[in-house]
Amino acid sequence: MKKSNVTMNELSEYSNEYRKSLDYICFTLNLLKVRSILIKEKSPHFILGVIRRFFHSNIDIFVDTEKSEEMVFEKLGKRVKTYNLDNIDVVIFPFSLEDEENWIDKLNNTLREVSSEFVVVAFRNPFSHKLFLGRGTKETLNPLKVRAILKENSYSLVEEKGGLHLKYIFYSLVALIFEKVGLSALHFRFVDRASNSYLTDNCFLRNLSYIQIIIARKGSR
Amino acid sequence: MKGVPETISKLDKWLDTMWSKEGYTGPVSHWWESSFLYTGVQIDWRYEGIITGYLDIYRKTGEEQWLEKAVRAGEDVVNNQLPTKKFLNSSFQAGPIEGGTPHEAAVDVALLELSDVLKEENSKSWRRYFKCAEDNIREYLLTKLWNGRGFIEQPWDATLVPNKNATVIEALLLYSEMAVVDFSKYVIPAAEVILNSQIIEGARTGGTIHYGTGRHQLAIGIYTARCVSGLLRLFNHTNDEKYLDTVKKAVVFLSSLIADKGTHFGYYKDESKIRCPTWISPSADILRALILARKEKIPVKDKDIESLIQSIAGGQEKSGGIRTANGFAGRGGTGEYEGLPEFRDVLPVVGWNDKVLRAFSLLLEKDQELPDLNIEKTEVDCVWKGRECRFIEDEKNIILQEKNGEQLYNLRKGQSFPKVCRL
């Protein structure tokens, strides 16, 4: 397996990538009526982001380490539980596979170990516009490979979304140009178009999207 | 004032439909962005208008039920204060994250107003709300946001936004009066942020520049209005006429934004007026600023106040909620918007409707009785991304559907997420 030679910058809690992805993931998990979530994430702000969205729900939330458990209590005053293998409805990887050298092993091992009904994988796609900017071209973490691993582990796709896709980028670039030339009214028109089309499930746009959200269920459809 | 008690009566009932046992909920539409996917409890500036509005109604009517509603909202806040002393999910349109500005300061204003009334009533519970605000002020506003010159946008963003400083000024003045401490070293520089941001020539004279808008340097009505209320509170504290002079100019600016049905959003740097959106419920902050300014004998046209009351009351649907705006579909446009309103326009938002409760409660007279009016299901034609849709709201649901009946949005009120969101 190729090793990642790219270290991804951690997403800011205020970025669209972070907020809109977590909103969508949690919205979908709510629709799927999951009762327990395992967050496979070391980064505090992704753990906190999920918990904030389910703060007043009865869903059991599990984290990987006692350190994360303490961090959640310190920041949000909420008791979550350290990882156990029983009764996990969904395991989510919110951008947490990106900097794993052996992300395939990590995904495979977790799916075999936990055997949850659902799995959610969110990551930044190397086969997006970033490819043309020379970033992430060596990454093996891409939608095709993730889908293949899920299939190998008997998971079938439930939902796929792409964020920051070509249409969005186009609107944002046009908005930026209008900003540079001082045409504020047109700038805000295109900012609006961009923000209203952040996520897509259009197959072509989705596969080339920078943000990938893949939600799958154990067993065939 | 004609129409005011009726509007309040229905608005109160609508607000109840948006309350869950953990707090006030609902989607958000706003200029910067909207939040439709997360719709759960947010302890943001909605509590400012809800608590102070109910307190004012209590003062005017003497009926205990209104104080109880203010206390209920105060409990939402106390129960959702985090160990960091910030408030849960306080960032309004930015979604579920704590540390929102000016939201946390606005919540402090509400808690301190509540605490003050309870203290007057000899209720020991005043300390509970006072402590909650005190902790937030001392451990967040003063510790994380003060940079020696003013209160910054976020610990990682040093922008000094005038209206956000104004709301912090209000919180600090209320706190310093109750705690008998001198916060001049914070309040006076924060006021300078506002004074230095006021535009002194051209069509935008009197407006404050929102420095968070970068090179666009927008002058925005509702934010200038929030500066007015902060400066008036400071004037009452200091008797320094320079604050009143700033308010006088701001009032002229606000008057220039009043439209047939609401208030235009603001002005671009080139002095062209931003007519899309034209605010409806958020205009209540402008109405409040004008009412407060008039109390200080600053010239305010009666017709401006009457026009705003009619626009806001006219935006109330049978559901009791008040529309947010008109013209979101042409966001940023300088011409009048024509056509059906957009989903973001017709959607009533708790964090805007609270402003109406607060402003309209100022217009109630002493011992005025409020009628007990029922709310009903609302159905309104609107558009979303150019497609004709129908907006439906009743006591339990908010729905947007296309003409063929396909739902684009379906939220059961009080829930943290909608059942359908295909926006």
Side-chain angles (χ1 to χ4, degrees):
Chain A
M1 191 194 83
K2 284 180 188 173
K3 286 185 178 178
S4 164
N5 62 351
V6 180
T7 301
M8 307 292 277
N9 294 327
E10 195 171 61
L11 290 171
S12 152
E13 288 179 299
Y14 289 85
S15 65
N16 278 336
E17 291 94 317
Y18 171 94
R19 292 180 299 124
K20 292 184 188 293
S21 300
L22 284 189
D23 278 353
Y24 181 73
I25 290 168
C26 295
F27 158 72
T28 307
L29 294 182
N30 183 64
L31 284 184
L32 295 172
K33 299 188 188 319
V34 300
R35 303 312 312 157
S36 55
I37 298 171
L38 168 61
I39 309 169
K40 292 294 281 183
E41 175 59 84
K42 287 173 290 190
S43 165
H45 67 251
F46 279 105
I47 297 170
L48 295 173
V50 173
I51 294 169
R52 286 183 192 112
R53 284 162 177 78
F54 286 116
F55 198 86
H56 287 297
S57 80
N58 294 322
I59 293 174
D60 288 325
I61 296 181
F62 297 88
V63 290
D64 249 349
T65 63
E66 284 183 12
K67 192 179 164 194
S68 295
E69 190 184 325
E70 284 161 22
M71 179 276 299
V72 170
F73 188 69
E74 191 182 301
K75 297 276 185 194
L76 298 180
K78 186 103 175 155
R79 282 280 177 217
V80 293
K81 297 164 193 170
T82 308
Y83 184 11
N84 78 32
L85 298 177
D86 298 328
N87 301 319
I88 300 291
D89 284 351
V90 59
V91 54
I92 63 177
F93 296 89
F95 300 94
S96 52
L97 295 174
E98 290 176 344
D99 286 327
E100 291 284 341
E101 287 194 354
N102 295 312
W103 72 268
I104 295 176
D105 291 344
K106 183 175 179 183
L107 182 55
N108 267 323
N109 292 342
T110 306
L111 293 179
R112 283 167 198 156
E113 188 183 31
V114 180
S115 194
S116 59
E117 186 181 0
F118 298 100
V119 60
V120 179
V121 186
F123 58 98
R124 285 172 280 184
N125 182 13
F127 301 145
S128 69
H129 67 288
K130 298 281 183 181
L131 181 74
F132 305 109
L133 301 175
R135 289 182 219 166
T137 53
K138 302 286 185 192
E139 288 287 344
T140 58
L141 178 57
N142 64 64
L144 296 174
K145 190 69 186 167
V146 171
R147 282 188 211 121
I149 294 171
L150 293 175
K151 196 174 174 188
E152 280 167 24
N153 285 278
S154 306
Y155 281 88
S156 56
L157 299 176
V158 174
E159 284 274 354
E160 285 186 277
K161 286 274 185 189
L164 258 171
H165 49 83
L166 295 175
K167 199 168 143 191
Y168 175 91
I169 302 295
F170 170 75
Y171 286 144
S172 300
L173 280 174
V174 174
L176 191 65
I177 291 165
F178 283 127
E179 183 179 40
K180 294 281 183 202
V181 297
L183 295 171
S184 293
L186 286 167
H187 164 79
F188 284 108
R189 285 295 287 275
F190 278 88
V191 165
D192 201 53
R193 287 187 180 190
S195 63
N196 281 346
S197 60
Y198 183 79
L199 287 173
T200 184
D201 45 20
N202 173 292
C203 184
F204 172 73
L205 292 175
R206 191 187 67 221
N207 280 311
L208 294 174
S209 293
Y210 183 48
I211 298 297
Q212 295 286 318
I213 302 170
I214 298 179
I215 301 172
R217 170 182 246 148
K218 189 92 174 170
S220 54
R221 273 178 193 260
Chain B
M1 198 71 77
K2 195 183 168 194
V4 169
E6 292 79 7
T7 304
I8 290 176
S9 171
K10 287 185 179 177
L11 178 55
D12 163 56
K13 289 202 167 68
W14 179 79
L15 284 169
D16 277 349
T17 72
M18 303 304 289
W19 188 77
S20 72
K21 65 182 192 301
E22 291 93 11
Y24 286 91
T25 62
V28 176
S29 60
H30 197 352
W31 162 268
W32 312 111
E33 64 177 313
S34 298
S35 178
F36 299 134
L37 272 178
Y38 175 77
T39 55
V41 172
Q42 291 195 264
I43 309 298
D44 55 31
W45 71 6
R46 70 190 68 186
Y47 280 88
E48 165 189 73
I50 288 170
I51 291 178
T52 59
Y54 281 132
L55 287 176
D56 218 17
I57 299 170
Y58 169 64
R59 284 193 199 98
K60 301 280 174 60
T61 63
E63 292 173 9
E64 203 70 26
Q65 58 167 317
W66 305 112
L67 180 60
E68 286 167 9
K69 283 215 165 148
V71 168
R72 183 180 78 175
E75 283 299 297
D76 293 344
V77 177
V78 172
N79 293 333
N80 284 295
Q81 188 170 40
L82 303 173
T84 56
K85 304 306 176 189
K86 290 187 264 189
F87 300 117
L88 177 73
N89 298 343
S90 61
S91 296
F92 196 45
Q93 82 280 358
I97 187 164
E98 60 271 20
T101 56
H103 300 281
E104 302 230 350
V107 173
D108 292 331
V109 169
L111 288 173
L112 292 166
E113 296 271 17
L114 174 61
S115 181
D116 194 37
V117 169
L118 291 170
K119 199 174 180 186
E120 280 174 29
E121 302 274 336
N122 294 317
S123 167
K124 284 180 185 169
S125 64
W126 72 270
R127 289 183 190 280
R128 179 172 168 77
Y129 309 107
F130 177 80
K131 177 77 169 57
C132 184
E134 178 178 53
D135 287 348
N136 181 264
I137 286 169
R138 290 198 175 272
E139 295 194 31
Y140 182 53
L141 302 185
L142 299 183
T143 307
K144 306 285 186 192
L145 299 182
W146 174 251
N147 77 347
R149 295 186 298 123
F151 292 90
I152 56 178
E153 172 79 34
Q154 285 290 326
W156 45 267
D157 179 354
T159 310
L160 294 167
V161 179
N163 70 285
K164 298 188 177 192
N165 275 271
T167 308
V168 178
I169 289 171
E170 295 207 57
L172 294 188
L173 289 176
L174 273 163
Y175 175 73
S176 61
E177 281 166 21
M178 293 183 76
V180 197
V181 290
D182 183 8
F183 272 170
S184 304
K185 67 176 178 180
Y186 301 113
V187 168
I188 303 302
E192 287 301 313
V193 171
I194 305 171
L195 302 191
N196 293 335
S197 72
Q198 189 169 52
I199 301 159
I200 53 171
E201 58 184 14
R204 309 196 302 167
T205 297
T208 48
I209 296 171
H210 189 303
Y211 287 113
T213 59
R215 66 169 66 200
H216 300 290
Q217 301 213 346
L218 302 186
I220 300 167
I222 55 171
Y223 296 138
T224 300
R226 295 181 67 84
C227 291
V228 165
S229 58
L231 290 178
L232 286 175
R233 206 185 279 265
L234 184 56
F235 168 71
N236 283 318
H237 198 80
T238 60
N239 273 322
D240 189 333
E241 290 283 335
K242 73 178 174 189
Y243 301 125
L244 220 46
D245 290 341
T246 306
V247 170
K248 280 177 192 162
K249 292 184 195 117
V251 164
V252 175
F253 171 81
L254 295 177
S255 177
S256 78
L257 289 171
I258 294 172
D260 285 346
K261 289 183 178 174
T263 56
H264 292 135
F265 179 74
Y267 287 88
Y268 288 119
K269 193 178 174 185
D270 67 2
E271 301 189 342
S272 55
K273 201 179 268 186
I274 308 167
R275 291 182 166 86
C276 297
T278 296
W279 290 127
I280 298 175
S281 53
S283 300
D285 261 353
I286 294 179
L287 171 63
R288 178 171 178 266
L290 297 182
I291 294 167
L292 296 175
R294 193 165 63 174
K295 280 185 182 167
E296 298 298 337
K297 313 287 184 214
I298 291 171
V300 174
K301 295 175 204 154
D302 285 345
K303 75 174 176 62
D304 283 350
I305 289 186
E306 281 157 21
S307 166
L308 284 173
I309 294 168
Q310 293 313 313
S311 300
I312 295 165
Q316 188 168 42
E317 297 293 345
K318 286 186 283 185
S319 67
I322 294 157
R323 290 185 185 198
T324 297
N326 190 41
F328 255 116
R331 179 182 159 201
T334 52
E336 292 290 349
Y337 176 74
E338 289 176 8
L340 285 172
E342 204 216 53
F343 175 54
R344 287 175 290 180
D345 293 323
V346 296
L347 181 73
V349 173
V350 177
W352 295 126
N353 276 253
D354 73 295
K355 315 287 176 252
V356 179
L357 190 76
R358 182 166 74 152
F360 273 38
S361 68
L362 289 174
L363 296 162
L364 287 178
E365 286 161 21
K366 186 78 183 155
D367 298 324
Q368 184 154 13
E369 283 187 19
L370 287 180
D372 185 17
L373 300 175
N374 290 325
I375 55 174
E376 298 167 43
K377 183 178 180 179
T378 292
E379 293 201 33
V380 182
D381 286 331
C382 64
V383 289
W384 178 251
K385 293 184 182 172
R387 305 197 302 266
E388 279 195 39
C389 297
R390 196 144 182 87
F391 173 81
I392 304 162
E393 186 187 10
D394 60 26
E395 286 188 39
K396 293 188 173 161
N397 302 290
I398 291 173
I399 293 167
L400 180 71
Q401 63 185 38
E402 291 195 85
K403 287 285 180 188
N404 63 9
E406 189 185 338
Q407 290 190 348
L408 298 179
Y409 194 73
N410 183 333
L411 172 71
R412 189 164 178 85
K413 292 183 180 181
Q415 299 295 305
S416 294
F417 303 95
K419 288 189 278 189
V420 176
C421 186
R422 297 198 188 98
L423 296 173

